[in-house]
Amino acid sequence: MTILTLVRHGETDWNRDGRVQGSTDIPLNDTGRQQAREAGRALREVIDADAATVVASSDLLRAAETADLIAHELGADEPRRYRGLRERAYGEAEGMTTTDFRARWGDWFTADVPGAETWDDLRRRALETLRRTVQDARRATSPAAPALVVVAHGALIREVIRHATGGELPIPGERLPNGSAHTFLMERDRLQLLSYVAAPL
């Protein structure tokens, strides 16, 4: 079994301005860097000091830099990047404000946006990549079981949480804050949600 902690990347200017990022490669801002450092310090308090800690991330700048800052706080090796952990591609919606998105396409979860990745495809990609990430971490730390920290993106993490909870977020209608951590127990292909952090929309 592996303890897996999914962390949402720190804030970007597009997060601050309420813009849809998706696969667009936007870097952290100073607030986001501070959130990443704080997340790393918080994780240092809860991860077993004797555990072999591995940090991994999406290859998009905002997740990669968050992971680098967390790894520094944890004294972990350089994070490995996974393209499969990227945020959902939002097609024509990328760069739009969330207000304009809703005015044009309606509900966030049922909108039919040209060029957007489907929620099912996102969930499948996320789970496949997380399994590979866990396997790589276990090989790197064998025989010890790793404490695995993975930095990814809000929509991807929500789909992993929904998978682990049978389809629903523990608190419907809430968002995942930048820098928030969500912990799972992973046994083979089974995910159990151990802790969850959310904030009002």
Side-chain angles (χ1 to χ4, degrees):
M1 70 180 72
T2 301
I3 298 296
L4 165 66
T5 302
L6 285 178
V7 179
R8 187 182 178 205
H9 62 80
E11 184 188 81
T12 70
D13 286 350
W14 279 24
N15 287 138
R16 181 197 62 205
D17 298 340
R19 293 191 178 278
V20 179
Q21 292 180 117
S23 59
T24 306
D25 207 4
I26 307 299
L28 295 180
N29 60 24
D30 288 341
T31 298
R33 293 183 187 97
Q34 183 59 31
Q35 289 169 335
R37 294 185 189 98
E38 290 171 358
R41 288 193 285 270
L43 288 168
R44 195 169 58 204
E45 296 299 316
V46 297
I47 291 176
D48 184 344
D50 296 325
T53 303
V54 174
V55 181
S57 77
S58 154
D59 64 346
L60 294 177
L61 286 171
R62 57 193 185 270
E65 187 177 2
T66 301
D68 289 345
L69 292 167
I70 288 174
H72 177 76
E73 292 291 339
L74 296 177
D77 290 340
E78 181 178 347
R80 185 168 179 173
R81 317 294 188 205
Y82 293 84
R83 183 181 177 87
L85 294 174
R86 287 185 171 198
E87 179 60 296
R88 181 192 187 210
Y90 282 94
E92 291 184 11
E94 297 198 8
M96 295 179 68
T97 66
T98 53
T99 300
D100 288 343
F101 178 100
R102 291 189 176 97
R104 183 169 178 182
W105 287 297
D107 181 76
W108 187 260
F109 294 103
T110 59
D112 185 14
V113 180
E117 183 176 17
T118 69
W119 293 105
D120 286 345
D121 285 348
L122 171 63
R123 184 186 296 198
R124 185 163 40 252
R125 167 169 65 83
L127 294 171
E128 288 173 356
T129 307
L130 283 175
R131 291 185 194 105
R132 186 164 72 253
T133 306
V134 168
Q135 291 167 359
D136 290 346
R138 293 181 73 84
R139 279 195 292 268
T141 60
S142 181
L148 177 58
V149 177
V150 175
V151 180
H153 306 267
L156 183 144
I157 294 171
R158 279 196 303 271
E159 284 305 298
V160 174
I161 292 171
R162 290 178 63 200
H163 173 79
T165 58
E168 295 296 333
L169 293 176
I171 307 173
E174 295 199 329
R175 65 177 176 83
L176 309 183
N178 292 106
S180 59
H182 318 273
T183 306
F184 303 80
L185 177 66
M186 192 164 192
E187 298 179 275
R188 295 190 176 91
D189 288 340
R190 181 173 175 269
L191 272 176
Q192 177 185 352
L193 181 66
L194 302 179
S195 69
Y196 169 80
V197 177
L201 283 170

